[in-house]
Amino acid sequence: VSLFLIGHPLVALISLISLGFSLVDILGIINFWNINISSVSVICLALAVGLSVDFTVHIGKGFMDSVGKCRKERMTEAFRSIGPPVLHAGISTFIAIFILVGAESFIFRVFFKCLFLIILLGMAHGFIFVPVVLSYIGPDSFYASLEEKEEYEAKLTGFS
């Protein structure tokens, strides 16, 4: 699905690799925290796929939509445009689950730990791994110039 939404196979592959890293990191840390594989932890891993891909795909799409002379300039532009909303999404999700920190129930404790890891590691990979890789091997932008981008967006929205 990311291939069709991002629009470039390399960026989709980098997002997929980042997602894999996030899942492996989560599995390693929950093992370190002595959380056994149970229905609760498996549900959290399923949630991890959906939430972690959100961080990386938005950064990748922002990179592909940005216009600049070089990859690093385009990544800077992507951070300016899509970075704050992605950061706000991570922070607001953490605030929403913070109430579970004092829970005494096994299910809620595991849920909090897993969701905390998902947010932390998803954001780390989305804000560190993906930008660094795209800055070095990322593809060309969808648009050759800012005028071309604005013209395309005007056609898309119907405003001239």
Side-chain angles (χ1 to χ4, degrees), residues 3 23 31 53-54 90 120-121 129 153 160:
L3 175 61
L23 291 176
N31 182 43
V53 78
D54 188 44
L120 180 71
L121 296 171
F129 174 75
E153 288 175 351
S160 295

Side-chain angles (χ1 to χ4, degrees), residues 122-136:
M123 286 180 66
H125 287 108
F127 281 116
I128 299 169
F129 174 75
V130 171
V132 169
V133 173
L134 287 175
S135 293
Y136 285 104

Side-chain angles (χ1 to χ4, degrees), residues 62-68 74 138-145 148-149:
F63 177 77
M64 290 304 298
D65 285 342
S66 61
V67 178
R74 287 178 45 221
D140 292 336
S141 176
F142 288 142
Y143 311 104
S145 67
E148 182 183 342
K149 179 180 178 181

Side-chain angles (χ1 to χ4, degrees), residues 4-153:
F4 296 111
L5 295 177
I6 294 174
H8 196 281
L10 180 61
V11 180
L13 179 65
I14 292 168
S15 296
L16 181 66
I17 291 169
S18 176
L19 175 63
F21 286 163
S22 292
L23 291 176
V24 169
D25 290 346
I26 291 167
L27 282 170
I29 294 173
I30 65 172
N31 182 43
F32 180 74
W33 284 347
N34 292 322
I35 298 173
N36 296 324
I37 299 295
S38 65
S39 59
V40 177
S41 58
V42 171
I43 289 169
C44 286
L45 289 173
L47 287 171
V49 173
L51 292 174
S52 294
V53 78
D54 188 44
F55 300 114
T56 59
V57 167
H58 277 92
I59 297 296
K61 180 71 169 129
F63 177 77
M64 290 304 298
D65 285 342
S66 61
V67 178
K69 296 176 187 167
C70 65
R71 292 183 190 109
K72 291 180 183 178
E73 189 176 296
R74 287 178 45 221
M75 184 49 66
T76 302
E77 178 59 32
F79 271 130
R80 279 193 199 114
S81 64
I82 201 71
V86 172
L87 181 64
H88 293 158
I91 291 170
S92 65
T93 305
F94 179 74
I95 290 170
I97 66 159
F98 189 72
I99 195 162
L100 298 175
V101 75
E104 295 180 17
S105 168
F106 166 77
I107 294 171
F108 292 138
R109 283 196 324 256
V110 170
F111 232 70
F112 173 76
K113 289 177 183 179
C114 288
L115 286 171
F116 171 75
L117 287 174
I118 292 167
I119 295 165
L120 180 71
L121 296 171
M123 286 180 66
H125 287 108
F127 281 116
I128 299 169
F129 174 75
V130 171
V132 169
V133 173
L134 287 175
S135 293
Y136 285 104
I137 63 168
D140 292 336
S141 176
F142 288 142
Y143 311 104
S145 67
L146 188 58
E147 291 80 22
E148 182 183 342
K149 179 180 178 181
E150 290 171 351
E151 181 181 314
Y152 178 77
E153 288 175 351

